[in-house]
Amino acid sequence: MYLKLLIFFLVGQTSVYAASPSAVPARHGLVTSTSALASQAGVDILRQGGNAVDAAVATAFALAVTYPAAGNIGGGGFALVRLPDGRVFSLDHRETAPGSASRDMYLDTEGEIIKGLSLKTHKASGTPGSVDGLLELHGRFGVLDRKAVIQPAIDLAQGGFPLSWQMAESFNRMLRLAPDFPATRKKFSNAGEPFQAGDIWKQADLARTMRAVSEQGRQGFYNGWVAAAIAAEMRSGDGNITASDLQQYRSVWRSPIKGEYRGYQVWSMGPPSSGGVLLVQMLNMLEAYDVKSMGWGSAEQVHLMVEAERRSYADRARHLGDPDFWDVPVALLTSKQYARQRMSNFDASQATSSHLVGAGESNHESEQTTHFSVIDKDGLMVSLTTTLNSGYGSRLVIPGTGILMNNEMDDFSIKPNTPNQFGLLGMEANEISPHKRMLSSMTPTLVTHQGKPFLITGSPGGSTIITTVLQVIVNLVDHGMSIADAVALPRFHHQWLPDVIYYGRYGLSPDTIAKLRSKGHELKQRSVLGDANSIHIVDGVRYGFKDPRHEGQAVGY
Ligand code: DON
């Protein structure tokens, strides 16, 4: 008896999970996303014999129904897949600039930005990549029938589901601020009246569109009546996407970015996302320092991480863009030696001023993207981040289809050295060209340790995505936290310009803030930083954790 107690005590002491009941444990498969219904759709597919890719595709289509602020078929995203044999693949299904797009398309004759044009109009949308990407993923790695993985989304759209308080509020706020697009008003109101929590929300048009995709595959979206409806609406609203843009769209398999951090292997998304390159760059910079002994949340650790972030984001503005159009020096930026060189002027006592290289401003629009993580019984891992860019994208619903369009064109550098909605600056590497992909910060990430699955993570949050993922990894690897603590604890963010440390509510103590100020940092509080729905794998057990900053659920079996 005493022996049993002793063993229990010792085992309890060695596992971070002994004291962390809020992560969902599972022996077989698990999905964690920002919608409980979408996570459940993925797990149902796993239980039917589907693998993690089938489940991810089912979850992604379901999110387009149950989380319209960012789940989508009118936007784009990135996915990382790791097979049980250790091979890692990454799929870029980012939107592309329409064929008629041009470098200065959002500027007036004086060269000034026409306000709102790249955000809230028909012209704001890139050619959507989600449907092609999800079908490509499924076609290459899925084991169930295409119809089986799309059906849960069709059922949710057709049969409807009760709106949560948050969703009803979010629809009503969006409609107050949205341009007056009639199909948007129809989709997001209850016959013209505001939705209330508990109302059943049905999307018959979206169900019909998804049925076309289910029956005809990519033809159902990029040709036929759905494509014709998109092209017609674009023509009537002075937008740019044509039938030919839609027909030409193709997702692309890219080489994943690979890094090594204190013996852990980090796999993430390469250009046209800046996420993987910056993540590995920052981890390389941190590796030379004893982050663990600095202590979580200490001024010393925050200062070090901020200085790594500042240097990496400065590189983002200059070097990162669509690799099909711009030569991105990936090998250099992700090398250990380059990290050492970039940190050679790091001063532990003093902030390095970003203003030596020019100033930027940030204005925070509503931000929505969504990330989900999936693992199956064989250890196949999927990390997928998808977005319309702003919450509800351009807010344009294509009549008759239920499709909400993205406003991803704003992720291009629409005017050199001018901050976009995330305060990010861009230069030539990210200027607009026909069919080019706009630079992203999305960072779907997989981490392995000794050849075994360790972590699946990622986040929304525009420019803050990469620093969110960085902190989840540092919290787990350096501080040995449980996934619940690693994800739920407050975060901070620096992006070179503006030269400010943003920190989440209750993120830094007054003493820490004072210490950071004395080193020369400016600090500002910000409401929400990220939504990092993650899975941590320990001794084969999968621990799923839904970031408490948003709705959703981890579901496993
Ligand atoms: O691709 C990007 O980096 C942005 N379009 C992501 C937008 C975003 O995360 C907004 N969400 N919170």
Side-chain angles (χ1 to χ4, degrees), residues 78-345:
F78 299 102
L80 264 278
V81 175
R82 182 181 186 271
L83 304 183
D85 67 10
R87 283 179 297 156
V88 179
F89 300 84
S90 67
L91 183 69
D92 159 5
H93 48 285
R94 182 72 159 164
E95 300 90 328
T96 50
S100 61
S102 58
R103 193 190 64 185
D104 297 333
M105 63 187 282
Y106 300 111
L107 306 183
D108 63 18
T109 49
E110 311 287 306
E112 295 306 323
I113 291 173
I114 303 167
K115 216 166 170 251
L117 198 59
S118 64
L119 285 167
K120 294 176 186 161
T121 68
H122 289 63
K123 278 197 181 326
S125 301
T127 308
S130 288
V131 171
D132 187 75
L134 295 175
L135 296 179
E136 182 66 31
L137 275 173
H138 174 259
R140 185 158 182 190
F141 295 119
V143 294
L144 291 187
D145 193 54
R146 179 178 70 223
K147 290 188 176 155
V149 297
I150 304 179
Q151 196 58 43
I154 297 174
D155 293 343
L156 285 162
Q158 190 69 43
F161 59 93
L163 289 175
S164 66
W165 183 88
Q166 286 90 333
M167 273 183 79
E169 282 295 296
S170 168
F171 288 6
N172 298 333
R173 193 169 47 243
M174 185 272 281
L175 282 184
R176 281 198 296 278
L177 302 172
D180 202 11
F181 298 132
T184 308
R185 198 154 292 280
K186 183 165 167 243
K187 176 172 171 125
F188 290 101
S189 70
N190 196 353
E193 294 302 313
F195 270 119
Q196 316 269 340
D199 287 348
I200 302 295
W201 190 44
K202 296 186 180 177
Q203 301 167 76
D205 288 348
L206 187 59
R208 213 154 56 91
T209 299
M210 289 190 166
R211 221 171 275 125
V213 175
S214 167
E215 280 160 14
Q216 300 158 43
R218 63 162 274 133
Q219 298 292 346
F221 186 89
Y222 294 96
N223 277 299
W225 68 267
V226 174
I230 297 173
E233 177 61 25
M234 286 288 149
R235 263 196 314 277
S236 78
D238 202 22
N240 291 71
I241 300 171
T242 62
S244 143
D245 289 322
L246 290 163
Q247 277 157 23
Q248 284 178 57
Y249 183 86
R250 287 289 182 284
S251 46
V252 184
W253 293 98
R254 309 257 183 210
S255 303
I257 298 292
K258 187 184 175 206
E260 187 86 19
Y261 182 62
R262 305 194 202 281
Y264 290 78
Q265 294 72 48
V266 178
W267 305 87
S268 192
M269 193 65 218
S273 179
S274 58
V277 168
L278 262 73
L279 176 65
V280 168
Q281 202 177 339
M282 293 188 288
L283 288 169
N284 286 343
M285 290 174 176
L286 298 182
E287 203 177 37
Y289 300 85
D290 189 355
V291 172
K292 182 180 168 69
S293 71
M294 290 176 181
W296 184 86
S298 65
E300 201 183 356
Q301 182 192 328
V302 175
H303 174 67
L304 171 70
M305 290 179 72
V306 160
E307 292 304 325
E309 292 170 7
R310 181 199 309 284
R311 285 160 178 78
S312 304
Y313 277 80
D315 284 346
R316 181 191 194 277
R318 170 119 180 270
H319 294 298
L320 273 293
D322 181 346
D324 296 340
F325 288 74
W326 184 261
D327 201 5
V328 182
V330 172
L332 172 79
L333 295 174
T334 56
S335 76
K336 301 265 183 206
Q337 199 206 331
Y338 180 73
R340 272 195 297 279
Q341 178 198 324
R342 285 293 268 157
M343 285 298 271
S344 60
N345 62 350

Side-chain angles (χ1 to χ4, degrees), residues 281-553:
Q281 202 177 339
M282 293 188 288
L283 288 169
N284 286 343
M285 290 174 176
L286 298 182
E287 203 177 37
Y289 300 85
D290 189 355
V291 172
K292 182 180 168 69
S293 71
M294 290 176 181
W296 184 86
S298 65
E300 201 183 356
Q301 182 192 328
V302 175
H303 174 67
L304 171 70
M305 290 179 72
V306 160
E307 292 304 325
E309 292 170 7
R310 181 199 309 284
R311 285 160 178 78
S312 304
Y313 277 80
D315 284 346
R316 181 191 194 277
R318 170 119 180 270
H319 294 298
L320 273 293
D322 181 346
D324 296 340
F325 288 74
W326 184 261
D327 201 5
V328 182
V330 172
L332 172 79
L333 295 174
T334 56
S335 76
K336 301 265 183 206
Q337 199 206 331
Y338 180 73
R340 272 195 297 279
Q341 178 198 324
R342 285 293 268 157
M343 285 298 271
S344 60
N345 62 350
F346 168 72
D347 181 345
S349 65
Q350 194 69 35
T352 316
S353 172
S354 295
H355 294 278
L356 295 173
V357 275
E361 277 171 33
S362 177
N363 83 66
H364 304 294
E365 289 251 339
S366 101
E367 301 175 350
Q368 290 303 332
T369 292
T370 192
H371 174 82
F372 64 90
S373 301
V374 186
I375 189 164
D376 67 19
K377 63 179 179 8
D378 300 318
L380 203 169
M381 308 156 87
V382 181
S383 184
L384 199 151
T385 314
T386 184
T387 192
L388 292 164
N389 194 21
S390 305
Y392 306 94
S394 69
R395 301 175 180 181
L396 171 68
V397 171
I398 304 293
T401 69
I403 301 169
L404 195 49
M405 294 300 288
N406 69 82
N407 61 356
E408 220 76 60
M409 290 296 284
D410 191 67
D411 271 353
F412 277 116
S413 170
I414 62 176
K415 185 179 174 189
N417 284 314
T418 308
N420 72 0
Q421 65 168 334
F422 304 112
L424 288 168
L425 303 189
M427 298 170 194
E428 201 186 336
N430 188 32
E431 69 184 21
I432 306 173
S433 278
H435 304 299
K436 185 175 174 183
R437 287 161 152 87
M438 52 299 279
L439 183 61
S440 174
S441 301
M442 289 189 274
T443 315
T445 297
L446 304 170
V447 181
T448 56
H449 190 227
Q450 295 170 343
K452 295 207 181 90
F454 175 74
L455 174 69
I456 311 173
T457 193
S459 179
S463 54
T464 69
I465 292 173
I466 319 170
T467 54
T468 291
V469 172
L470 176 71
Q471 287 166 90
V472 172
I473 295 176
V474 166
N475 287 349
L476 285 175
V477 171
D478 290 282
H479 299 300
M481 291 182 190
S482 70
I483 194 68
D485 291 335
V487 167
L489 281 170
R491 295 188 266 263
F492 58 89
H493 169 76
H494 194 288
Q495 59 180 49
W496 173 52
L497 290 172
D499 193 350
V500 172
I501 302 175
Y502 295 101
Y503 62 98
R505 259 177 307 159
Y506 313 114
L508 298 171
S509 72
D511 326 36
T512 313
I513 291 172
K515 274 198 178 162
L516 288 165
R517 289 214 166 106
S518 75
K519 289 179 193 287
H521 291 288
E522 187 185 332
L523 292 103
K524 279 192 191 147
Q525 189 179 300
R526 221 173 125 162
S527 51
V528 172
L529 287 170
D531 183 27
N533 306 317
S534 307
I535 299 174
H536 185 198
I537 303 99
V538 184
D539 297 331
V541 182
R542 296 92 165 91
Y543 293 91
F545 189 66
K546 171 69 205 77
D547 194 322
R549 290 164 180 83
H550 282 276
E551 288 187 278
Q553 204 170 308

